[in-house]
Amino acid sequence: MTGSLFDGEKLRNFFRGDYSESDAIYTAEVLSKNDHIKELEDYLSTQFDGILVKDVEEKDLDHILDRIHFEINAKAAAKRTRGASKILKWCFRIAAIIILPLSVFWGMRGYLNHNLGKETWVEIKAPAWTRAQFSLPDGTTGWLNSNSSVKYNGNFNTNRQVALNGEAFFDVVADKMRPFKVNTNELIVKVLGTRFNIASYDNEKNIEIVLEEGTIELNDREMINSRIMNPNDLIVFNREKKEMSVEEVEPKKYLAWTEGKLVFRNDPLDVIARRLARWYNVDVEVKGSQNEDLRLRATFIDEGLEEVLDMLKRSLAIDYKIENSNLKPDETYTKKRVVISLGRN
């Protein structure tokens, strides 16, 4: 390729996922040779907005950058092919530039899928105590709640599917030819363009889906239960009974976590306990028979766990104690534990 002209159009086709065989071969050569390194750096920098995401202002991409660097390092260690290694070496040479690792990753991922037939996955995580805003390659945006993750395949532009563990809010870009799907262990959520929240934590007995806008088709894995959701619907799927229940709710209450708010609207104690456990990453146990009259209406912003529990104690006929974390034999720590008792001492 020495002496040939730099062809930005072939790169543009490749990065947006609509490319020919010659586009893929040309991109692989550009990434693995030094002939056009300066032109390539300039091109990727100027084309960044169009290649990856729309409206990137004020979006936090740190978690995506972390994942990309992990993928690059993992593939470098694996040394899959000589061609892939050349691409990775080129990636490392420009890794100090914040824009380029993103652009190169998508190109490298497409190259590996095209030439090696290997599945490549991207996973975005929100660790405990955090929330993470994300953007997907099709322009869909959303939020991940604490201890949650979303994962999608390298062929996302042609097959818009993600796997979710935990809680996420999605604002899906409409595309009638390519429905958007969210997969959990038990459910498949299919949408065209909509805004909805789904909570699917492995350690909880229920999955909750709340629809703010648009329409959702909901199916279980056995294709026994199927529902069409309308705006303001809340569907609760019981994992043990394999049953769905539906009610009309105010979606804002279920989406408030994306704004850092913990909102209760006439919620019973079992719901309060479950949401406290998620929010503060603690184990919560309620002792005594449930009393449906114990309901709470409140909004908390930036309050600590003890502040919220003190508020509950003043508002409801309960008491509580907090048990600190303990070191386990494997040198990890247990979660802090909250025990809520009915009636005051």
Side-chain angles (χ1 to χ4, degrees):
M1 197 178 71
T2 303
S4 63
L5 296 176
F6 182 77
D7 193 340
E9 183 63 28
K10 288 183 178 292
L11 293 179
R12 189 178 300 109
N13 293 339
F14 184 79
F15 285 137
R16 71 188 179 197
D18 182 18
Y19 58 88
S20 65
E21 180 74 20
S22 63
D23 293 336
I25 293 173
Y26 176 81
T27 303
E29 291 179 350
V30 168
L31 293 179
S32 59
K33 295 183 179 181
N34 294 325
D35 296 346
H36 295 289
I37 185 69
K38 183 61 171 65
E39 294 96 327
L40 185 56
E41 289 182 1
D42 292 342
Y43 170 80
L44 292 176
S45 179
T46 57
Q47 293 295 320
F48 172 68
D49 289 342
I51 292 170
L52 292 179
V53 296
K54 299 177 181 178
D55 187 24
V56 297
E57 292 183 1
E58 298 183 1
K59 286 186 169 52
D60 181 5
L61 298 178
D62 287 347
H63 55 285
I64 299 179
L65 284 169
D66 291 342
R67 182 59 191 173
I68 289 168
H69 289 130
F70 171 82
E71 292 286 345
I72 291 174
N73 290 329
K75 289 180 175 62
K79 296 182 180 178
R80 291 180 174 178
T81 66
R82 184 171 178 266
S85 295
K86 290 180 179 179
I87 296 172
L88 293 169
K89 289 177 181 177
W90 182 85
C91 292
F92 287 130
R93 286 201 301 271
I94 62 170
I97 305 174
I98 192 168
I99 292 176
L100 296 184
L102 285 170
S103 303
V104 173
F105 176 76
W106 298 114
M108 181 184 67
R109 185 186 62 186
Y111 172 80
L112 291 175
N113 287 338
H114 184 86
N115 291 280
L116 303 181
K118 301 290 186 180
E119 284 191 335
T120 304
W121 291 87
V122 177
E123 186 174 22
I124 306 169
K125 291 185 177 182
W129 303 95
T130 68
R131 294 176 296 123
Q133 191 175 15
F134 62 86
S135 296
L136 300 180
D138 67 338
T140 292
T141 60
W143 284 88
L144 280 174
N145 208 346
S146 174
N147 282 324
S148 302
S149 66
V150 64
K151 183 168 68 170
Y152 58 91
N153 202 300
N155 65 349
F156 182 84
N157 279 325
T158 56
N159 185 14
R160 298 199 304 165
Q161 295 196 49
V162 300
L164 172 68
N165 180 29
E167 184 170 18
F169 168 76
F170 293 93
D171 188 351
V172 178
V173 170
D175 187 337
K176 292 183 179 180
M177 302 303 295
R178 301 179 303 158
F180 186 93
K181 293 182 180 180
V182 179
N183 295 286
T184 72
N185 290 335
E186 296 84 2
L187 298 177
I188 301 173
V189 181
K190 180 180 177 182
V191 304
L192 292 177
T194 186
R195 293 164 57 89
F196 66 99
N197 194 82
I198 176 169
S200 177
Y201 287 93
D202 289 340
N203 61 345
E204 295 186 4
K205 67 178 182 180
N206 293 327
I207 299 175
E208 296 180 352
I209 304 100
V210 179
L211 180 59
E212 181 185 27
E213 180 183 299
T215 305
I216 282 178
E217 178 185 323
L218 186 62
N219 294 283
D220 62 17
R221 289 285 178 180
E222 291 76 23
M223 304 301 288
I224 297 173
N225 294 304
S226 180
R227 296 268 186 160
I228 300 296
M229 294 183 67
N230 298 309
N232 302 330
D233 280 352
L234 163 66
I235 283 186
V236 178
F237 177 77
N238 185 293
R239 284 186 162 108
E240 295 178 358
K241 298 180 180 179
K242 307 295 182 183
E243 295 177 350
M244 295 183 188
S245 62
V246 59
E247 64 177 295
E248 189 171 335
V249 298
E250 173 51 60
K252 288 183 179 179
K253 165 185 144 181
Y254 295 88
L255 307 181
W257 66 266
T258 64
E259 301 175 350
K261 299 177 182 178
L262 179 60
V263 176
F264 298 102
R265 292 293 180 264
N266 199 36
D267 291 311
L269 193 56
D270 62 331
V271 172
I272 295 170
R274 185 170 67 250
R275 295 184 62 202
L276 288 177
R278 287 184 200 166
W279 194 261
Y280 294 103
N281 193 36
V282 296
D283 290 327
V284 180
E285 178 187 357
V286 179
K287 288 189 174 180
S289 300
Q290 291 287 348
N291 184 343
E292 284 298 316
D293 293 333
L294 292 179
R295 291 178 175 266
L296 179 68
R297 180 183 179 88
T299 299
F300 300 100
I301 304 175
D302 297 329
E303 281 86 356
L305 175 61
E306 291 195 44
E307 292 177 286
V308 174
L309 290 172
D310 285 339
M311 174 65 180
L312 292 179
K313 184 175 180 178
R314 292 196 299 269
S315 304
L316 308 174
I318 66 146
D319 205 347
Y320 72 89
K321 67 176 180 179
I322 300 176
E323 299 175 356
N324 291 325
S325 303
N326 294 311
L327 184 64
K328 296 189 292 186
D330 61 359
E331 297 187 348
T332 62
Y333 282 88
T334 62
K335 289 183 179 179
K336 185 179 291 186
R337 186 165 176 264
V338 176
V339 179
I340 298 176
S341 305
L342 299 180
R344 295 188 177 93
N345 294 332

